[in-house]
Amino acid sequence: MCAVSLDSADLAATRLREVAARVSELRRRGVQPHLTTVLVGAHPASEAYLARKHADCEAVGIASEAMVLDAGTSQADLLDLIARLNTDPARHGLLVQLPLPDHLDSDAIVAAVDPAKDVDGFHPVNLGRLLWGSDGILPCTPAGILDLLQARQVPLAGRKVVILGRGSIVGRPLAMLLSRKGIDADVCLLHSRSGDLSAIASADVVISAVGIPDFVTAGMIRPGAAVVGVGISHVGGQMVSDIADDVAAKAGFVTPRHGSLGAMTRAHLLLNLVAATEAAARKGH
Ligand code: GUN
């Protein structure tokens, strides 16, 4: 078997066109969607991620501001800034880029963002809504993975899905999302220190978010499985996913070894932003 590529570039472009259409409609009604990002200190990877987010905003008609604060910014000053941004009705989405410098308490900073403007879907209120199965802003990478699997018609209901990685940005929220009513996957959440990874051998879908190159090999999966690499690493200057090269010869679907789901994550960030703007407009601000 030679796996079908789960390349997400076309789907991400389609989602951005959907965002652009909704932005046009908001602007026609006099509402200009706006994203604010906050970066503390110099961090080359974060700067590159943020540059792509702002480029996407510009491409679809979303206004945006990139705030860059001094590396020594105090917790109190950052909390003050977030409080001011939270109450500014012209700002519909607010994202504090992680990781933050060590002297800052990231959990407290994430929790200070107004949940209605938390377009990352990282706030405990939004994660709690995900756990409850009620409406809220979904974390962008899990939402992008679900979107990709559904768009490529990978069956999930009643299927065994193994998620590798238990982080609060991808693995754990993804487990909550895929096991929700209506999606109904049989989810098994494992991680890089799991004692027994044998569940992978019978999984219909394997999603790896551990960030270890070649963590999932052909010998671990069943023929025809759908295999998604979310974690990325840099090896010899090249970006590689968690999925080894030999998986493509055995899987039914596989994400490209040198690709990333970054474009899907950014598309869902802007879908969240446009939904937050529509919700604010409905409330009259
Ligand atoms: N750092 C790496 N990815 C992300 C992201 O999606 N959002 C934020 N806020 N920080 C990140």
Side-chain angles (χ1 to χ4, degrees):
M1 173 166 308
C2 195
V4 173
S5 171
L6 278 177
D7 191 1
S8 54
D10 287 352
L11 183 60
T14 300
R15 294 295 173 256
L16 285 185
R17 282 194 293 277
E18 290 166 11
V19 169
R22 288 164 69 182
V23 168
S24 291
E25 173 56 20
L26 282 160
R27 288 168 60 152
R28 199 185 58 73
R29 289 160 39 203
V31 180
Q32 172 59 64
H34 187 287
L35 172 69
T36 304
T37 66
V38 178
L39 173 67
V40 184
H43 190 283
S46 291
E47 285 159 13
Y49 289 142
L50 285 172
R52 288 188 209 114
K53 291 172 190 178
H54 288 282
D56 283 351
C57 283
E58 192 174 352
V60 297
I62 292 173
S64 68
E65 181 178 2
M67 295 186 158
V68 181
L69 309 183
D70 188 84
T73 301
S74 70
Q75 181 86 4
D77 283 351
L78 184 52
L79 288 172
D80 273 355
L81 173 66
I82 292 170
R84 274 187 283 123
L85 299 173
N86 278 343
T87 55
D88 181 346
R91 299 176 193 269
H92 305 102
L94 169 55
L95 175 163
V96 180
Q97 187 70 17
L98 303 176
L100 287 168
D102 287 345
H103 69 279
L104 296 172
D105 176 351
S106 301
D107 288 353
I109 299 296
V110 168
V113 174
D114 179 349
K117 296 189 178 188
D118 163 43
V119 284
D120 269 324
F122 290 173
H123 192 284
V125 164
N126 286 317
L127 291 175
R129 288 175 179 147
L130 170 59
L131 198 65
W132 271 9
S134 55
D135 286 343
I137 301 180
L138 291 175
C140 307
T141 302
I145 293 167
L146 174 61
D147 189 7
L148 177 63
L149 291 172
Q150 289 182 323
R152 303 300 286 271
Q153 296 174 346
V154 175
L156 293 170
R159 303 302 169 104
K160 189 166 171 184
V161 177
V162 170
I163 298 170
L164 302 163
R166 57 184 158 178
S168 58
I169 291 182
V170 183
R172 268 184 286 153
L174 182 62
M176 291 304 114
L177 185 60
L178 298 186
S179 56
R180 260 182 163 186
K181 231 180 219 160
I183 297 167
D184 302 320
D186 300 345
V187 176
C188 172
L189 181 61
L190 302 175
H191 49 85
S192 59
R193 300 176 67 183
S194 289
D196 179 2
L197 295 176
S198 60
I200 298 172
S202 56
D204 302 294
V205 180
V206 180
I207 304 168
S208 180
V210 294
I212 299 175
D214 299 336
F215 190 71
V216 179
T217 60
M220 297 162 82
I221 66 160
R222 72 159 187 77
V227 184
V228 177
V230 190
I232 50 167
S233 320
H234 292 274
V235 178
Q238 254 204 323
M239 187 177 77
V240 291
S241 91
D242 292 353
I243 315 302
D245 263 345
D246 59 0
V247 168
K250 192 172 177 190
F253 295 89
V254 69
T255 47
R257 176 161 169 78
H258 298 296
S260 90
L261 292 171
M264 286 304 289
T265 298
R266 294 197 306 278
H268 277 266
L269 175 73
L270 298 194
L271 284 165
N272 284 346
L273 188 277
V274 94
T277 310
E278 289 163 350
R282 276 195 298 277
K283 288 187 185 154
H285 47 84

